[in-house]
Amino acid sequence: MHAAIRLLQDAGLGLVAADPPYRAVLVVHSARRRQAGLARRVEDLGLDPAELPRSARSLVRRGRRVRRLGGLRPATPASWRQRMVAWLDDAGAEAGLLPAPPGASGAGSTGVAAWNLAGLPSLVAPVYRPGEHGCVQLVGRPGSERRLLATAALLAGE
């Protein structure tokens, strides 16, 4: 994070410190959405869940239950999206710079799944500065994909 902040400041970008209003329930909502999607994908592909690894069978079973109970309430992602856009508005920011989630997918954290749930563009970007390297997460407003990619290129030293 510190290397990314220095790179962005050196490039003349204005930064504002603000914490996103994460809610503990986001992990649960994101997991339910992922499980329901997996169950639907297994069904669409005509796969036999009995032939899947045990952990995948468990996820498919949970996903089927979520789907049977009506899936994720549409108000949940919409409400979260509104909260996040309001957070960017309140901070006067075009995008958020956040610590990268643990692991490749941010499993077990709010991480990338929170932004997917909100339907907002996000990415995990490498940060290269002499003697320092790591990753950060960039999150933007709807339609900010090009800005996020340009910022990621800047952080990667391209």
Side-chain angles (χ1 to χ4, degrees), residues 123-135:
L123 58 86
V124 175
V127 178
Y128 294 107
R129 188 173 169 111
E132 301 177 272
H133 60 278
C135 291

Side-chain angles (χ1 to χ4, degrees), residues 78-101:
S79 171
W80 174 236
R81 180 185 180 100
Q82 289 172 349
R83 286 172 57 97
M84 294 321 302
V85 171
W87 170 69
L88 290 168
D89 289 343
D90 291 346
E94 292 299 316
L97 172 70
L98 305 162

Side-chain angles (χ1 to χ4, degrees), residues 3-150:
I5 290 168
R6 284 191 291 280
L7 281 167
L8 295 174
Q9 287 175 330
D10 290 350
L13 297 175
L15 302 173
V16 177
D19 290 327
Y22 286 129
R23 297 174 57 207
V25 73
L26 286 175
V27 175
V28 173
H29 289 305
S30 297
R32 286 181 182 159
R33 182 180 180 139
R34 188 173 50 252
Q35 292 160 358
L38 176 62
R40 182 177 21 138
R41 187 75 173 147
V42 165
E43 183 180 305
D44 290 348
L45 292 172
L47 299 176
D48 180 3
E51 294 180 14
L52 298 174
R54 188 169 133 185
S55 60
R57 285 193 309 266
S58 174
L59 292 173
V60 168
R61 214 175 18 258
R62 289 183 203 145
R64 285 181 173 165
R65 186 177 327 123
V66 169
R67 292 182 69 207
R68 189 173 52 251
L69 295 174
L72 194 59
R73 292 188 337 247
T76 301
S79 171
W80 174 236
R81 180 185 180 100
Q82 289 172 349
R83 286 172 57 97
M84 294 321 302
V85 171
W87 170 69
L88 290 168
D89 289 343
D90 291 346
E94 292 299 316
L97 172 70
L98 305 162
S105 66
S109 72
T110 49
V112 177
W115 309 109
N116 288 340
L117 183 65
L120 296 175
S122 68
L123 58 86
V124 175
V127 178
Y128 294 107
R129 188 173 169 111
E132 301 177 272
H133 60 278
C135 291
V136 294
Q137 185 177 358
L138 298 170
V139 179
R141 297 174 177 280
S144 66
E145 291 85 355
R146 287 183 187 211
R147 180 181 304 242
L148 294 181
L149 290 171

